[in-house]
Amino acid sequence: MDFSNFNGAEQAHMTKVLEKKQMQDFMKLYSGLMERCFMTCVNDFTSKSLTGNEITCVQNCTDKFLKHSERVGARFSEYNAEQMQQAGP
Amino acid sequence: MDFSNFNGAEQAHMTKVLEKKQMQDFMKLYSGLMERCFMTCVNDFTSKSLTGNEITCVQNCTDKFLKHSERVGARFSEYNAEQMQQAGP
Amino acid sequence: MDFSNFNGAEQAHMTKVLEKKQMQDFMKLYSGLMERCFMTCVNDFTSKSLTGNEITCVQNCTDKFLKHSERVGARFSEYNAEQMQQAGP
Amino acid sequence: IRLDRDGANIDPAKMEIATAELDMITDVFNRLVTSCHAKCIAPGNSTRYAEGELLKGEAVCIDRCTAKFFAVNKLVSERMQTMGGTAQVTGSFGR
Amino acid sequence: IRLDRDGANIDPAKMEIATAELDMITDVFNRLVTSCHAKCIAPGNSTRYAEGELLKGEAVCIDRCTAKFFAVNKLVSERMQTMGGTAQVTGSFGR
Amino acid sequence: IRLDRDGANIDPAKMEIATAELDMITDVFNRLVTSCHAKCIAPGNSTRYAEGELLKGEAVCIDRCTAKFFAVNKLVSERMQTMGGTAQVTGSFGR
């Protein structure tokens, strides 16, 4: 995204839009992660409480998903920077 | 959700937001239910009309999904009420 | 959708809503199609570049999905027209 | 009641209902595309996407799948009215 | 600060946060319905939807599934705070 | 044309396009995260989530998966332009 041809008011507006979108994204990432780890790790419904194995699995699943998402984000940024440079001045 | 620190105008605003959201939720539930029951029950494409078995399956699927969703909703409300009480005064 | 009981201002408003929705729809169709063809066609991660087979598969997947979506759209229009006629004057 | 530039009335409630109806139609259409793609295109192909054309059998399947999808739509909608689904479902949200 | 018809203050930031919270609750509820449906209703049925009632075993499963879903919700939420997840995740978007 | 508090112009059409572009980027990013998670993390694990670290093989897979995803993005986008996809697709909606 290139906002350089935006005036001050337009940049301020887009910053607000971006902030709202980032909050929504974070919530969606959170609930998506939770659903995914629940579906993968929890398979025993003979009791109401999580087993020790399920707890470990959910914690690892969460850690791994966040690291995965961070790594993909890094590659995504590099790619966008490259694209910007090729389009550049 | 605790709206007790909202003034009258703010409560009225949130009530409108809530009503709109409930309508959207209902539509999403409806189309999700329909897609799910279609995918599960309809597997024969040698004709344009539903077979007797397919009709029964779709009706049962709909009934069961609504009852499921109702039961989950009841547990969800209980949980939220508990959480509210623990946070409470 | 029947806009015949809308006045000029209301029709103009809905036309804008429709245009925005069509742009969003197109983007969603695009990204959905891309995800689907990626998931189906790309299964080898021993290298960074697409193989010849993967490229052919993605192109065919894209072509086929667009033709599929076009055909479904045609049936959908016919169905809506029928429904409108049955409701009609 | 809002006035547009030309002074004509725009009824916001009417606009909201029309927009919701449009959202609903779009949602149903998207699910129709996805469902019939899964039923007619994806599975039968052991050689995945060997061609970009719709095969004869796929085209026939799409037409039947679409017709059955509309029938299910009608069936579910009737069923939910019989069960008083609307009240139950939105009521079950616990708000 | 906006004034409504009666002259009362509406704080837009407060409204935005409340709306986001509502969206979050709805999203979690919808995922709960879908997940427990997949765990308790869909798979155990070899004869697909032979009846429209919830079977005894299904009802018990729903209650336990819901309890476990809330426990996972709490676990993941704590885990993300420990990892400073918020900063990492939104920061990783590269904007 | 709208004026903000400081009297500067805000072009609504420009804002709408920028917002749509942002939505698009977010949507693609989310699908990228999901797709490469399915390809690189989920399936290879017979012992499901025995550790919270990314394994060496997973990290390498993520990098390649991401590169291939961008290549598919480019391929599909070119293909749709060749087919005049835009017109066909939005035109097929029957409105």
Side-chain angles (χ1 to χ4, degrees), chain B residues 34-54:
Chain B
M34 190 185 56
E35 184 181 20
R36 187 182 313 267
C37 295
F38 176 82
M39 286 305 286
T40 304
C41 296
V42 182
N43 289 301
D44 164 37
F45 298 100
T46 56
S47 130
K48 278 180 89 106
S49 10
L50 295 173
T51 65
N53 279 343
E54 286 171 341

Side-chain angles (χ1 to χ4, degrees), chain E residues 3-79:
Chain E
L3 292 181
D4 85 336
R5 268 162 271 159
D6 310 320
N9 291 335
I10 291 186
D11 179 352
K14 211 165 146 189
M15 293 302 98
E16 204 166 287
I17 291 169
T19 306
E21 217 183 314
L22 191 59
D23 286 347
M24 183 70 185
I25 293 180
T26 310
D27 190 16
V28 169
F29 179 74
N30 288 337
R31 290 178 192 268
L32 167 61
V33 170
T34 307
S35 302
C36 290
H37 193 267
K39 294 289 186 190
C40 297
I41 311 286
N45 281 336
S46 59
T47 53
R48 288 258 176 207
Y49 296 117
E51 74 290 308
E53 297 304 309
L54 284 183
L55 303 176
K56 182 86 196 303
E58 290 172 332
V60 173
C61 180
I62 291 170
D63 293 348
R64 290 174 182 161
C65 181
T66 308
K68 288 199 164 198
F69 192 89
F70 294 135
V72 169
N73 187 13
K74 202 162 162 263
L75 205 55
V76 169
S77 149
E78 285 165 4
R79 199 75 186 170

Side-chain angles (χ1 to χ4, degrees), chain B residues 3-17, chain E residues 10 15:
Chain B
F3 294 159
S4 55
N5 64 335
F6 281 29
N7 66 39
E10 288 172 342
Q11 289 198 7
H13 177 82
M14 283 313 293
T15 303
K16 276 198 74 170
V17 170
Chain E
I10 291 186
M15 293 302 98

Side-chain angles (χ1 to χ4, degrees), chain A residues 1 5-7 9-10 13-14 18 21 25 36 40 60 63-65 67-68 71-73 75-76 79, chain F residues 4 8-9 11 14-15 18 23 25-26 32-33 37 48-53 58-59 62-63 66 70:
Chain A
M1 302 284 295
N5 64 335
F6 282 29
N7 66 39
E10 288 172 342
H13 178 82
M14 282 313 293
L18 215 101
K21 192 128 198 68
D25 281 355
R36 186 183 312 265
T40 304
N60 287 337
D63 292 6
K64 210 165 206 167
F65 189 87
K67 281 164 195 161
H68 164 72
R71 189 173 189 102
V72 172
R75 294 296 90 75
F76 194 71
Y79 178 76
Chain F
D4 84 337
N9 291 336
D11 179 350
K14 211 164 147 189
M15 294 302 97
D23 287 347
I25 292 180
T26 309
L32 167 60
V33 170
H37 193 267
R48 286 259 176 206
Y49 296 117
E51 74 290 309
E53 298 302 311
E58 291 173 332
I62 291 170
D63 293 349
T66 308
F70 294 135

Side-chain angles (χ1 to χ4, degrees), chain D residues 66-80:
Chain D
T66 307
K68 287 199 163 196
F69 193 88
F70 294 135
V72 169
N73 187 12
K74 199 158 164 265
L75 205 55
V76 170
S77 149
E78 286 164 4
R79 199 74 185 170
M80 284 179 86

Side-chain angles (χ1 to χ4, degrees), chain C residues 4 8 19 24 28 33 47 54 59 64 71 85:
Chain C
S4 56
E19 276 167 10
Q24 287 172 345
K28 216 175 152 184
L33 183 163
S47 131
E54 286 171 343
Q59 286 172 337
K64 209 166 207 167
R71 190 172 188 103
Q85 233 170 13

Side-chain angles (χ1 to χ4, degrees), chain D residues 36-46 48:
Chain D
C36 290
H37 193 267
K39 294 290 186 190
C40 296
I41 311 285
N45 280 337
S46 59
R48 286 256 176 209

